[in-house]
Amino acid sequence: EIVLTQSPGTLSLSPGERATLSCRASQSVSSSYLAWYQQKPGQAPRLLIYGASSRATGIPDRFSGSGSGTDFTLTISRLEPEDFAVYYCQQYGSSPVTFGQGTKLEIK
Amino acid sequence: EVQLVESGGGLVQPGGSLRLSCSASGFTFSSYAMHWVRQAPGKGLEYVSAISSNGGSTYYADSVKGRFTISRDNSKNTLYLQMSSLRAEDTAVYYCVKGPRQWLSMNWFDPWGQGTLVTVSS
């Protein structure tokens, strides 16, 4: 199975700053079938990005995804207070579907 | 608006059984594969099981194979997860999620239900 490793484990930033989250796969993710989710405490995850770079419906354009092969990035251009949460990547190009362990984005 | 509402969670003893349900609305349920994803307390996300739109194909994670059974009733817009021989490590919030396709593969997940907590403990 494809193992996804997210880094850093915790990212401490201030509102208005730029956030860059990494997701590295143990083998190539076919057709860039990679998604990103945001999860706030006590809530279900919410889809942000699919196909490595396509924003889901209703997601602000400050969220962007990039990458291919084994290296993927989620970028939040200017952090808003509501963006502080845990972020997960998911690959769905190979069975089984796998998730990264998560990156916690916290307020500095 | 697409809605997924899980029910059926609770406290069960090790070795016991539980059936989770997920009631779907706001979309043509019979046209989409459906999935279960779980999250142990304070942990990450684990893909558990999936079923194709017509119920003809299913998937199970190795950790639940032989113990869990996924099914669906397209006439009732409802997804099920029958869980048996439950273990402490099955303790988690179980989320019902919708994929964008009829089949099991190449699915991202959107939306997610609110989740139902299953606690396996004596």
Side-chain angles (χ1 to χ4, degrees), chain A residues 33 35 37 39 43-47 50 88 90 92-93 95-97 99 101, chain B residues 37 39 43-47 59 95 101 105-110 112-114:
Chain A
Y33 286 153
Y37 300 86
Q39 186 177 33
Q43 296 185 16
R46 177 177 71 147
L47 177 69
Y50 63 95
Y88 294 96
Q90 173 220 351
Y92 53 93
S95 183
V97 162
F99 292 90
Q101 83 282 12
Chain B
V37 176
Q39 185 172 35
K43 302 298 184 182
L45 302 167
E46 181 187 11
Y47 188 52
Y59 164 84
Y95 294 104
R101 311 190 192 284
S105 59
M106 296 181 288
N107 282 276
W108 60 87
F109 303 133
D110 182 47
W112 297 55
Q114 87 286 352

Side-chain angles (χ1 to χ4, degrees), chain A:
Chain A
E1 76 178 42
I2 294 179
V3 176
L4 299 178
T5 302
Q6 293 186 239
S7 61
T10 302
L11 185 58
S12 300
L13 294 170
S14 301
E17 291 192 292
R18 180 186 185 91
T20 303
L21 287 67
S22 173
C23 177
R24 179 161 292 177
S26 60
Q27 52 190 284
S28 184
V29 176
S30 61
S31 303
S32 295
Y33 286 153
L34 189 111
W36 289 93
Y37 300 86
Q38 176 194 67
Q39 186 177 33
K40 297 180 181 179
Q43 296 185 16
R46 177 177 71 147
L47 177 69
L48 299 175
I49 301 286
Y50 63 95
S53 60
S54 296
R55 266 189 306 277
T57 302
I59 302 303
D61 61 7
R62 64 180 182 273
F63 290 91
S64 63
S66 62
S68 64
T70 60
D71 289 296
F72 298 87
T73 300
L74 175 69
T75 301
I76 310 171
S77 58
R78 291 173 309 279
L79 285 166
E80 297 287 343
E82 61 268 26
D83 298 336
F84 292 91
V86 178
Y87 292 83
Y88 294 96
C89 58
Q90 173 220 351
Q91 70 79 24
Y92 53 93
S94 301
S95 183
V97 162
T98 51
F99 292 90
Q101 83 282 12
T103 288
K104 181 180 181 180
L105 178 56
E106 64 176 24
I107 299 177
K108 186 174 182 179

